[in-house]
Amino acid sequence: MVAVFLADGFEEIEALAVVDVLRRAELTVVTVGIGGRTVCGAHGIPVGADMDEAAWEKQDMDALQAVVLPGGMPGTLHLEQSPAVACALETARRQGAYVCAICAAPSILGHKGLLRGRKAVCFPGYEQELEGARVRLEKGRQAVPAPVCPPVPD
């Protein structure tokens, strides 16, 4: 199961394109609304999540294969404050599941200490939020990409 977390102010394309592509690949994808099942994107588009935080907490966490955190503001800030997201990140870390943070959302991983010694990319200007990460700036590029969605180690 791939869990894509949505919070008010999320970047629609970063969330819904991921959901679309993974569902076309026939992966089990659930969207989790932080604060309720209807979540409003950064551009005013309301989206109906598959479940809310309370329903997420009843899911079989052994089935978790990946956690996806789309960026967007203030969505990223809401995700960082969510106990459901914190629990999912801890479960992913413990089980070796993939953690995929997009745009501004890698800042959440940096603040939680999950990037220590790892390569990470982010939206330009958020490099300082990637606490402990190895970020190398290059002329014409903000950061050197790491392998796609590597699991977060212990």
Side-chain angles (χ1 to χ4, degrees), residues 111-152:
H111 298 158
K112 293 186 178 299
L114 298 174
L115 295 177
R116 287 191 191 102
R118 301 188 64 82
K119 291 180 183 178
V121 296
C122 63
F123 184 78
Y126 277 79
E127 295 85 1
Q128 70 280 3
E129 305 299 324
L130 305 180
E131 297 168 22
R134 291 182 286 138
V135 177
R136 185 178 76 205
L137 302 179
E138 290 187 356
K139 188 175 184 175
R141 298 175 80 184
Q142 285 297 319
V144 177
V148 177
C149 305
V152 176

Side-chain angles (χ1 to χ4, degrees), residues 34-136:
I34 303 304
R37 284 203 50 209
T38 301
V39 185
C40 193
H43 300 92
I45 303 169
V47 174
D50 297 320
M51 64 184 70
D52 62 12
E53 294 163 288
W56 167 252
E57 291 169 2
K58 297 175 186 170
Q59 295 296 304
D60 175 16
M61 294 300 159
D62 289 339
L64 185 66
Q65 298 170 294
V67 173
V68 178
L69 305 176
M73 285 295 175
T76 295
L77 301 175
H78 296 311
L79 291 176
E80 186 165 8
Q81 296 167 356
S82 167
V85 170
C87 178
L89 289 173
E90 174 55 27
T91 299
R93 185 201 61 77
R94 196 174 57 252
Q95 294 179 187
Y98 290 103
V99 174
C100 312
I102 304 167
C103 198
S107 64
I108 299 168
L109 307 180
H111 298 158
K112 293 186 178 299
L114 298 174
L115 295 177
R116 287 191 191 102
R118 301 188 64 82
K119 291 180 183 178
V121 296
C122 63
F123 184 78
Y126 277 79
E127 295 85 1
Q128 70 280 3
E129 305 299 324
L130 305 180
E131 297 168 22
R134 291 182 286 138
V135 177
R136 185 178 76 205

